[in-house]
Amino acid sequence: MLTNVPKGINRMARNIVINHPNSFECQIYRKYVNRNNESMISGMPTIGGIGVMSAEDEEDISYDFLGSGYALQAEPFSPSPMMERQDANNGFANEFRFLIEPEQPTGADGSFMIKKGDVMLIVISDEVRLAYEIVEPETVMNISPFAMRYVTNRRGDLDLLG
């Protein structure tokens, strides 16, 4: 019974993100390590024979397409610090928060879960896609199933420009 509220919030959030006039189409990619199994201990990457927690420092990686979706910037007008002379702001472009919904609903064929480290390409046109990396999923609701919001950083090195 208690899960009816978050399920309803998740359905409403999905409808808003998909139908909002400021939503972007997006594509989600997941990073995979291309090293062979000799350098893996039970599927975990190693560096110098020692198992590591994540594959952030790997040099031989590829990105596999997970699926398409919709992204809506969650806080486009966040406060930003002012310059010393109080005549301009410094901007707040270190991180961006997005509500992201896969094209297919949870449980349907083609659905996927977004994880930390995934890369989202915002589709501007057929030739231009801007890359953001998911650095942290977060929620503002304390009841499961959680309504997810994603903190992202710009990844200009992964942009696709015509």
Side-chain angles (χ1 to χ4, degrees):
M1 166 122 166
L2 190 57
T3 60
N4 288 340
V5 172
K7 286 180 182 177
I9 291 172
N10 284 331
R11 277 194 309 271
M12 287 187 297
R14 178 172 173 77
N15 286 335
I16 289 170
V17 170
I18 290 173
N19 297 312
H20 198 281
N22 293 333
S23 284
F24 291 100
E25 291 182 14
C26 68
Q27 299 170 335
I28 307 295
Y29 291 82
R30 183 154 298 150
K31 177 171 57 172
Y32 289 99
V33 176
N34 293 331
R35 288 199 284 157
N36 61 14
N37 288 337
E38 298 169 2
S39 58
M40 305 282 252
I41 299 173
S42 67
M44 291 184 57
T46 61
I47 295 178
I50 299 174
V52 296
M53 296 297 285
S54 71
E56 283 188 25
D57 295 326
E58 293 287 340
E59 59 184 29
D60 187 15
I61 59 171
S62 62
Y63 290 93
D64 291 343
F65 179 71
L66 288 180
S68 297
Y70 303 92
L72 177 63
Q73 193 168 1
E75 297 180 9
F77 304 108
S78 298
S80 57
M82 293 296 290
M83 300 293 279
E84 189 173 322
R85 292 180 15 199
Q86 308 285 311
D87 59 350
N89 64 12
N90 284 334
F92 56 93
N94 294 337
E95 59 185 32
F96 302 88
R97 284 174 170 74
F98 283 94
L99 298 172
I100 305 170
E101 289 293 332
E103 199 168 44
Q104 301 300 322
T106 303
D109 288 342
S111 180
F112 55 89
M113 295 293 295
I114 299 168
K115 296 182 180 179
K116 180 178 178 178
D118 288 351
V119 173
M120 171 181 66
L121 294 180
I122 298 288
V123 178
I124 304 297
S125 70
D126 288 341
E127 296 84 24
V128 178
R129 293 178 176 87
L130 303 178
Y132 294 83
E133 182 175 2
I134 310 295
V135 293
E136 183 177 12
E138 63 183 13
T139 186
V140 293
M141 191 169 53
N142 294 327
I143 303 171
S144 174
F146 302 106
M148 301 301 288
R149 181 170 69 180
Y150 300 94
V151 179
T152 65
N153 286 345
R154 276 284 287 128
R155 287 292 305 265
D157 59 319
L158 298 174
D159 286 348
L160 297 175
L161 306 174

